[in-house]
Structures are given as C-alpha cells and as structure tokens.
Amino acid sequence: MAGCCWMVSQRLLLSPPLSHVSLNSSSALISSTPLSFSLGSCCRNRARARFSSALSVSASSTLQALIFDCDGVILESEDLHRRAYNDAFSHFNVRCLSSPSQDPLNWDSHFYDQLQNQIGGGKPKMRWYFKEHGWPSSTIFDTPPQDDGDRAKLIDILQDWKTERYKEIIKSGTVETRPGVLRLMDETKAAGIKLAVCSAATKSSVILCLESLIGIERFQGLDCFLAGDDVKEKKPNPSIYQTAVKKLGVSEKECLVVEDSVIGLQAAAGAGMACVITYTSSTADQDFRDAIAVYPDLNNVRLKDLELLLQNAVPAN
C-alpha cells in the first residue's frame, strides 16, 4: 500500500481494536463513502470497518429492512433517563443502607454510563443495583423489602414514576433527533425498504419519543415497532430482533440494525443480523469490532452506503 490509500476488495482491511482508539467528534471512524470506493486521505477518512467472528452475513445480501434502536440512536437519551431515575429516587426518598450519604440515591453521569452500557432495561438496572448495594428504604416501604413480591412492587412503582417523569422531559420540546436520522428514515421508506424501531425501553415512553421526535406520520408508517414490554428478555438477548424479523417477514441476512452500544450490537449479532454503530459520548470507547461500520452520527450516511455495506459484508470464517 502506498501511504494511506488502498482499494476495498469486498471488505475493508481490519484495523487495531477500537477500544485502543481515541474517539472524538472531529474524527469519524468510518468514511461515509460507499465501501466499494477507494479510500484516501487518512486525515479525512479513517476507516475502521469490523467484521464479526461470530456473525454470519451473506456476501450477496440485499437490504430489505432497516431497524433502528431508539435511545442513543434516534435521540441522545442517556442523561435524560439518568435525570428521570434520580428524580424518582428523590421523590420516594430512596436510600440504600450501604451508602454513607443521608441523601436519596443519586446516580452520577460516570456511573450511569457504565451501568446503562452493561445492563439493558430500567427494571433490570435497578434490580441489579439493589442486589449489589442493598435493598433500600423509601416512602414506599419504610424498611428494605425482604420478599420477592415487595421488591418487585418497589421496582414497578419506581419505574412507572420514572417513565412519567421521562415523558415530561421529552414533551418539554428541548429534545431533538440525532443528525441524519429523519432523512435516512425517509430515504428508506421512499426506496420501498421496510423500516422498524426496536427499543429495550418501556413501550409508553418509546411511543411518546417517536411521536414527539420523528412525528406521528413516520411513527404510524413503521413496518414494525417493538419495545421492552414485547419480549421477555432485554438486550443483549437477541429476542427483540428475532421477533422483529418474523414480523417483518424477511430473512435476518436481509436486515441491517443501527445501534449505539455494545449491548445492542450483541443483540443484533445474536439474531444473525449485521449491525452498524452510531456511537454517543458515553459509548464511544466500547469495543465495536463486531459491527460492520462505526459512525459518530448518521449525518453523512446515505441509504446507498448502508446497502453497499450489507452487500459487501463477508461471511465469518
């Protein structure tokens, strides 16, 4: 190879692990040009395509369905969820006995980034936290709940209140979609390709997000919409994508998933689907080696780019 230029022959050459690469908004890890083009100027287009050792994708797959995650993909929602959880903890005066603080439980940004990137779904997050740090006292139960029924009740009440608070934040009008999302959705529908949204979040909150951010017409035009309520297991379990492919009536090899985290990537890969990543500030340092492409956002990504990605994806060895 001369300098930083090489030709792509069915797949991009593998680069060092993404976890060892410093990410920032000024440096896209994947060129938004189709993969069949030659790549030039390392400073302008730093390619980091990854092909899974576990995910098997047909080299001749044609894109028939584009599936979006919601939180982190359609909108940057991590901090909004964190604020809603902390408001719920404060409202019910949730206190873990293991905490040296006399104040209600409060998840800071650094901790929540780690938590939400390891455990999908709100109830599983709280259940894991309380198991690790002790079940809390609250205005719901004066003393920490001891049996499974009371513990489930505590989590249900907290989650329901948190969901309503999150809705209030979304309805405030201060939240916008991430760059390129609406245009890519419109391109997909115009091309006759099926469009879906699969989110691990509570259905009512996802519906509100979608109606508020992508608009009622786009939401009603989705070919498939699934939320955490629709499946028994949360991501990284692949069940939500396995359910989606059945509803869409296409092969998993004809689907392309857009995710923002390694949890979502694992869910897509587990369902036998190719996945592209559009990372956020809280997921940028994760290991996305099993994604077929990684982008800082979708602003310069066109449907034709995604179609070529899927066509050029190489089956795992």
Side-chain angles (χ1 to χ4, degrees), residues 9-270:
S9 176
Q10 294 300 315
R11 66 183 291 178
L12 293 180
L13 297 179
L14 298 183
S15 62
L18 287 177
S19 58
H20 297 161
V21 180
S22 176
L23 306 182
N24 56 65
S25 59
S26 63
S27 178
L29 293 189
I30 289 286
S31 167
S32 60
T33 56
L35 296 189
S36 58
F37 294 172
S38 63
L39 302 180
S41 179
C42 277
C43 295
R44 186 174 64 250
N45 297 319
R46 299 172 60 198
R48 296 285 191 268
R50 290 290 181 182
F51 292 84
S52 171
S53 59
L55 176 63
S56 179
V57 181
S58 170
S60 59
S61 295
T62 301
L63 181 61
Q64 297 296 322
L66 185 62
I67 307 175
F68 286 82
D69 178 32
C70 185
D71 291 329
V73 173
I74 294 176
L75 73 157
E76 291 225 31
S77 55
E78 291 90 347
D79 197 58
L80 306 181
H81 282 291
R82 185 185 68 85
R83 286 165 49 193
Y85 279 116
N86 286 338
D87 287 348
F89 298 149
S90 177
H91 178 80
F92 291 104
N93 198 26
V94 174
R95 299 167 184 259
C96 290
L97 300 181
S98 62
S99 173
S101 173
Q102 296 301 308
D103 296 325
L105 176 62
N106 186 284
W107 288 340
D108 63 32
S109 297
H110 178 70
F111 172 78
Y112 189 74
D113 280 350
Q114 294 179 318
L115 180 65
Q116 66 97 17
N117 286 323
Q118 294 179 33
I119 302 174
K123 292 181 182 181
K125 285 182 176 66
M126 287 188 286
R127 188 172 291 110
W128 175 87
Y129 185 88
F130 295 147
K131 284 182 178 179
E132 290 292 316
H133 299 274
W135 287 87
S137 62
S138 65
T139 57
I140 303 169
F141 294 104
D142 291 336
T143 58
Q146 299 299 314
D147 63 74
D148 291 342
D150 285 344
R151 288 174 175 178
K153 181 180 179 181
L154 171 67
I155 288 177
D156 286 345
I157 291 173
L158 289 173
Q159 182 66 29
D160 288 346
W161 198 96
K162 175 263 175 185
T163 297
E164 293 305 310
R165 175 64 184 127
Y166 181 74
K167 290 178 182 178
E168 291 176 359
I169 297 172
I170 294 297
K171 288 189 290 188
S172 68
T174 60
V175 183
E176 297 180 348
T177 57
R178 293 191 67 192
V181 168
L182 298 183
R183 182 214 7 98
L184 191 53
M185 284 185 167
D186 291 343
E187 286 183 9
T188 301
K189 293 297 289 185
I193 295 171
K194 293 183 177 181
L195 181 66
V197 173
C198 293
S199 171
T202 305
K203 175 167 280 189
S204 60
S205 67
V206 182
I207 290 175
L208 177 67
C209 282
L210 295 177
E211 289 183 342
S212 300
L213 298 177
I214 73 173
I216 294 177
E217 184 176 351
R218 286 191 186 90
F219 174 63
Q220 293 178 342
L222 293 175
D223 297 288
C224 175
F225 163 62
L226 295 172
D229 314 53
D230 296 313
V231 291
K232 292 182 179 180
E233 300 291 335
K234 306 286 188 181
K235 301 174 185 177
N237 186 285
S239 59
I240 195 165
Y241 289 126
Q242 292 168 337
T243 302
V245 77
K246 293 177 182 178
K247 288 183 174 292
L248 290 166
V250 298
S251 165
E252 66 275 3
K253 295 178 181 179
E254 298 171 324
C255 296
L256 184 59
V257 176
V258 185
E259 278 281 359
D260 71 301
S261 70
V262 71
I263 285 180
L265 173 58
Q266 290 169 350

Side-chain angles (χ1 to χ4, degrees), residues 252-315:
E252 66 275 3
K253 295 178 181 179
E254 298 171 324
C255 296
L256 184 59
V257 176
V258 185
E259 278 281 359
D260 71 301
S261 70
V262 71
I263 285 180
L265 173 58
Q266 290 169 350
M273 298 179 183
C275 181
V276 299
I277 292 292
T278 170
Y279 59 83
T280 67
S281 58
S282 67
T283 65
D285 291 330
Q286 293 182 7
D287 184 354
F288 294 130
R289 70 182 65 196
D290 288 345
I292 63 172
V294 178
Y295 303 101
D297 58 50
L298 299 173
N299 194 43
N300 295 316
V301 181
R302 297 296 187 267
L303 181 63
K304 64 180 181 181
D305 301 328
L306 300 182
E307 290 177 308
L308 284 168
L309 276 171
L310 192 60
Q311 290 171 8
N312 291 328
V314 177

